Amino acid sequence: MSNLQIEIDSGSGFCFGVTTAIKKAEEELAAGKTLYCLGDIVHNSMECDRLARMGLITITHDDLSSLHDAKVLLRAHGEPPETYELAKRNNIEIIDATCPVVLMLQKRIKEQYEAPTNLPQLQASIVIFGKKGHAEVLGLVGQTHGKAIVIEKFDDVKQLDFTHDIYLYSQTTKSLDEFHRIIAYIQAHMAPGARFQSFDTICRQVANRMPHISQFAARHNLILFVCGRKSSNGRVLFNECLRVNPNTHLIEGPDEIILDWLKDIQTVGICGATSTPKWLMEQCRDAILNQTKHL
């Protein structure tokens, strides 16, 4: 066991949007200001706990309704227009950490929905490939006053009405391969005279992690995928690791590592999602080293 090699994936860890949101929170908290965050700043309980110890107060949308004269951070996932309207009414100062990629996607969907030749008259559909109830998806659907159709997986596409125009978008962290399958299915089933347009709105910083993490998973005996179980992006990346390397385990932190996993193992790869902090992957590495040094 003393010859055990452990590698932390250099391509894993916070994406640009999450890094920016956390930096903004840390700057406000370091200045001694009271700061609220609407929802978990990142889908990782340990990072949320770390920021809570610094003073960050996480609130729900219900809490926001009764909050006045305060400062609230909007996380990278983005928010629907109603959140901004409520903040204005309640004299809440918004620190907007919405990821630029998400902001651009919101703008495109809003413009499509409000286009003069569009929805009510032609019964066209704005379709979003994404996870129902996910914070980013709620913000996207909000651009259409709740009219957009959300499909979570490939099989859901079969329920669409192909006799009217369809405009397809995607949550920024979804699988590129599945998105392309959905596009191909819609193209093959559109009725004559109905128009279909797809917009590739998947974040390349996230999508490009797929081939990288495949290669990483393939070169180790054991993969520990460190990720909050709420993470949509984490689920996609974990499944890719599992596909390439069946000896892959999803853990939220070092306490979930089982010593039996390390039997007859020469190399361990530790990787994670766009919501996984580097320090947490390092903690998992250190826990393995501590557990195995006497074996």
Side-chain angles (χ1 to χ4, degrees), residues 1-7 220-222 224 257 259 261-270 284-285 287-293 295:
M1 195 69 82
S2 58
N3 294 324
L4 184 69
Q5 300 294 312
I6 304 173
E7 182 186 4
H220 292 288
N221 305 134
L222 168 69
L224 298 180
I257 297 171
L259 205 54
W261 293 344
L262 301 167
K263 282 182 180 174
D264 304 319
I265 294 296
Q266 280 78 50
T267 67
V268 177
I270 300 175
C284 292
R285 175 200 60 201
I288 293 171
L289 294 172
N290 287 333
Q291 286 181 11
T292 59
K293 65 183 176 186
L295 296 178

Side-chain angles (χ1 to χ4, degrees), residues 126-168:
I126 287 181
V127 178
I128 297 167
F129 171 43
K131 184 178 178 183
K132 288 178 183 172
H134 187 279
E136 180 189 325
V137 174
L138 291 174
L140 300 178
V141 173
Q143 308 304 315
T144 69
H145 301 291
K147 299 288 189 351
I149 299 165
V150 178
I151 57 173
E152 291 199 284
K153 57 189 183 300
F154 173 76
D155 284 345
D156 294 344
V157 75
K158 297 167 187 176
Q159 310 304 319
L160 297 178
D161 180 354
F162 301 107
T163 64
H164 298 290
D165 293 358
I166 294 175
Y167 301 94
L168 176 70

Side-chain angles (χ1 to χ4, degrees), residues 50-66:
R50 183 185 75 85
L51 289 165
R53 289 193 294 272
M54 291 178 67
L56 186 65
I57 303 164
T58 301
I59 59 171
T60 66
H61 285 80
D62 287 343
D63 297 328
L64 188 70
S65 302
S66 56

Side-chain angles (χ1 to χ4, degrees), residues 42-105:
V42 62
H43 287 147
N44 186 281
S45 59
M46 294 192 179
E47 180 66 4
C48 290
D49 290 345
R50 183 185 75 85
L51 289 165
R53 289 193 294 272
M54 291 178 67
L56 186 65
I57 303 164
T58 301
I59 59 171
T60 66
H61 285 80
D62 287 343
D63 297 328
L64 188 70
S65 302
S66 56
L67 195 67
H68 293 78
D69 311 312
K71 190 176 283 194
V72 175
L73 181 134
L74 302 185
R75 56 200 175 159
H77 302 95
E79 284 291 322
E82 305 90 78
T83 299
Y84 294 87
E85 291 159 12
L86 176 60
K88 193 173 181 182
R89 287 198 304 274
N90 288 8
N91 194 34
I92 291 170
E93 181 185 341
I94 290 289
I95 297 175
D96 200 340
T98 305
C99 171
V101 179
V102 175
L103 272 179
M104 183 61 69
L105 174 53

